[in-house]
Amino acid sequence: LITRILGYTQTGFYTAAYKFFDLLAFFPAAVSHSIYPVFTAMMARKDIGGVREMIEKYMRFMLAIALPIGVGGSLLSRQIITLLAGPQYAPAAPALAILVWAPAFLFVYIVANALVISQLTKFAVAITGTNVLVNIIGNIILLPRIGIRGAAIMTVASEAIQGAFYLYFIYSRITKFRLWSQFWQPAMASIMMGLVVWPVRTLFLPIPVITGVVAYVVVLYALRFFQREDLVFLKTFIGKAV
């Protein structure tokens, strides 16, 4: 669609921006692949409490990763696109500033993805099919009006719709779980990180990145996000994804 409506140059710009999605999507995909058999085993023995606990633990950490990626990626989109594709692709930066939220949503709902695919396959197929249709229609409407930013918006919207329905179906059909109570600390820390990064966003990329990471971790610590058992869980979490 981008090539037909906007031409090859804009397609190249969007492809460059999409590289960031591809790079980030590897980690949540690995997490989903590793916990799929665990969810299947838990559901087979009807361990709903274990399923709920696992969803909450994984989602808590995925939220803590996703939100700063979204905020930081939006603020540093020009530097990121220059690093990934070169300065000639700088026009792709506005699209990347939007598109970066697509992997952020993916991080949040990827745990639900593993459970829905294993237990609610028909719903997963229906949601995905509907989402594809919405994406196509949205691109046809937006691309002629706002260019590749329209494609980025529809990619983010598709991930958000997919995630919202997956979480809803799990909450309504399998087990109720906490989400919003685990959201506010990473959200607050991400906002503070953004305020700290904003004045240095145009400097050499490692400077705003390191500044942002330090600010984010410090605020999370001040908000008492970290718990004693987190270290043990993190080792398992990272081990499953690597």
Side-chain angles (χ1 to χ4, degrees), residues 27 31 34 57-59 61-62 65 107 111 232-242:
F27 181 77
V31 170
S34 65
K57 280 187 176 181
Y58 271 92
M59 200 170 294
F61 280 100
M62 294 304 256
I65 298 172
F107 268 74
V111 179
V232 176
F233 181 74
L234 268 176
K235 288 180 179 178
T236 306
F237 178 75
I238 295 171
K240 286 182 180 292
V242 173

Side-chain angles (χ1 to χ4, degrees), residues 84 88 135 210:
L84 289 178
Q88 67 272 28
N135 191 285
I210 294 172

Side-chain angles (χ1 to χ4, degrees), residues 5 19-20 48-49 67 89 209:
I5 296 174
K19 283 184 180 179
F20 193 63
I48 303 302
L67 294 179
Y89 286 91
V209 169

Side-chain angles (χ1 to χ4, degrees), residues 75-76 79 191-204 207-209 211-212 215:
L75 292 177
L76 303 176
Q79 294 211 54
I191 292 170
M192 296 303 297
M193 180 198 75
L195 293 175
V196 171
V197 169
W198 177 260
V200 298
R201 67 191 185 284
T202 59
L203 300 180
F204 181 49
I207 295 176
V209 169
T211 301

Side-chain angles (χ1 to χ4, degrees), residues 74-136:
S74 292
L75 292 177
L76 303 176
S77 59
R78 181 169 292 273
Q79 294 211 54
I80 292 171
I81 201 68
T82 300
L83 176 66
L84 289 178
Q88 67 272 28
Y89 286 91
L96 177 59
I98 300 168
L99 187 62
V100 69
W101 287 97
F105 279 118
L106 178 62
F107 268 74
V108 175
Y109 84 78
I110 199 65
V111 179
N113 178 73
L115 186 55
V116 169
I117 290 176
S118 68
Q119 303 298 318
L120 301 169
T121 309
K122 290 182 179 179
F123 288 110
V125 173
I127 293 167
T128 301
T130 303
N131 224 350
V132 170
L133 183 62
V134 170
N135 191 285
I136 292 172

Side-chain angles (χ1 to χ4, degrees), residues 13-241:
F13 287 146
Y14 189 72
T15 301
Y18 206 86
K19 283 184 180 179
F20 193 63
F21 190 139
D22 289 336
L23 287 172
L24 291 177
F26 172 78
F27 181 77
V31 170
S32 178
H33 179 74
S34 65
I35 63 178
Y36 177 89
V38 180
F39 275 137
T40 302
M42 284 182 170
M43 290 300 295
R45 62 176 183 266
K46 301 187 184 304
D47 182 10
I48 303 302
V51 169
R52 181 175 60 253
E53 182 180 357
M54 192 170 183
I55 290 173
E56 291 179 350
K57 280 187 176 181
Y58 271 92
M59 200 170 294
R60 178 170 174 266
F61 280 100
M62 294 304 256
L63 276 167
I65 298 172
L67 294 179
I69 285 176
V71 173
S74 292
L75 292 177
L76 303 176
S77 59
R78 181 169 292 273
Q79 294 211 54
I80 292 171
I81 201 68
T82 300
L83 176 66
L84 289 178
Q88 67 272 28
Y89 286 91
L96 177 59
I98 300 168
L99 187 62
V100 69
W101 287 97
F105 279 118
L106 178 62
F107 268 74
V108 175
Y109 84 78
I110 199 65
V111 179
N113 178 73
L115 186 55
V116 169
I117 290 176
S118 68
Q119 303 298 318
L120 301 169
T121 309
K122 290 182 179 179
F123 288 110
V125 173
I127 293 167
T128 301
T130 303
N131 224 350
V132 170
L133 183 62
V134 170
N135 191 285
I136 292 172
I137 294 172
N139 273 289
I140 291 173
I141 294 171
L142 294 178
L143 284 175
R145 290 167 172 78
I146 57 176
I148 58 174
R149 287 176 298 163
I153 289 171
M154 289 314 303
T155 300
V156 174
S158 294
E159 294 295 336
I161 292 170
Q162 194 95 353
F165 275 106
Y166 277 13
L167 293 172
Y168 169 75
F169 282 129
I170 290 175
Y171 190 87
S172 62
R173 295 176 179 270
I174 297 178
T175 181
K176 293 181 173 20
F177 56 88
R178 293 178 299 134
L179 176 61
W180 299 113
S181 62
Q182 305 184 79
F183 173 83
W184 75 270
Q185 291 162 311
M188 183 65 67
S190 296
I191 292 170
M192 296 303 297
M193 180 198 75
L195 293 175
V196 171
V197 169
W198 177 260
V200 298
R201 67 191 185 284
T202 59
L203 300 180
F204 181 49
L205 186 58
I207 295 176
V209 169
I210 294 172
T211 301
V213 169
V214 171
Y216 182 68
V217 172
V218 168
V219 175
L220 275 187
Y221 182 80
L223 294 175
R224 298 183 179 180
F225 175 81
F226 301 105
Q227 301 173 2
R228 283 188 178 180
E229 62 270 21
D230 283 349
L231 186 59
V232 176
F233 181 74
L234 268 176
K235 288 180 179 178
T236 306
F237 178 75
I238 295 171
K240 286 182 180 292

